[in-house]
């Protein structure tokens, strides 16, 4: 079993590293392009809250690579 990623956040729930948190759409999950992976948000006062973040699957990465190649006019 993989360990759940912990994300340090400020009092408002924003990640301290400046990254953005996203949730995958139902369609992206249904199509197998993304998953909403569990995480734990760690607040400055020590409180920990379960949540989730969007992550791309291998299928999603392949699809993104194909779309970028098409935009650049060179499918490989």
């Amino acid at each position: 079993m993989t360990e759940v990623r912990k994300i340090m956040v400020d009092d408002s729930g924003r990640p301290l590293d400046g990254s953005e948190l996203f949730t995958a759409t139902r369609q992206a999950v249904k199509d197998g392009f993304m998953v909403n992976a569990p995480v734990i948000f760690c607040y400055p006062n020590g409180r920990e809250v379960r949540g989730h973040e969007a992550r791309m699957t291998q299928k999603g990465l392949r699809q993104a690579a194909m779309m970028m190649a098409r935009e650049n006019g060179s499918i490989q």
Side-chain angles (χ1 to χ4, degrees):
M1 186 171 167
T2 51
E3 189 172 323
V4 176
R5 184 167 99 94
K6 290 188 174 189
I7 301 173
M8 304 302 289
V9 296
D10 63 16
D11 290 327
S12 300
R14 291 182 297 255
L16 295 179
D17 65 4
S19 63
E20 295 285 332
L21 294 173
F22 296 97
T23 301
T25 64
R26 288 185 193 150
Q27 191 63 47
V29 173
K30 181 181 174 189
D31 291 344
F33 297 135
M34 300 185 86
V35 296
N36 286 311
V39 295
I40 297 175
F41 300 114
C42 302
Y43 287 81
N45 65 3
R47 183 174 66 129
E48 293 186 346
V49 177
R50 290 186 217 185
H52 61 271
E53 68 176 343
R55 293 192 190 155
M56 300 223 16
T57 64
Q58 289 295 320
K59 181 179 179 181
L61 291 172
R62 284 192 301 272
Q63 180 69 16
M66 283 187 355
M67 291 172 72
M68 286 187 282
R70 282 188 199 135
E71 286 181 14
N72 292 326
S74 58
I75 297 178
Q76 298 178 358

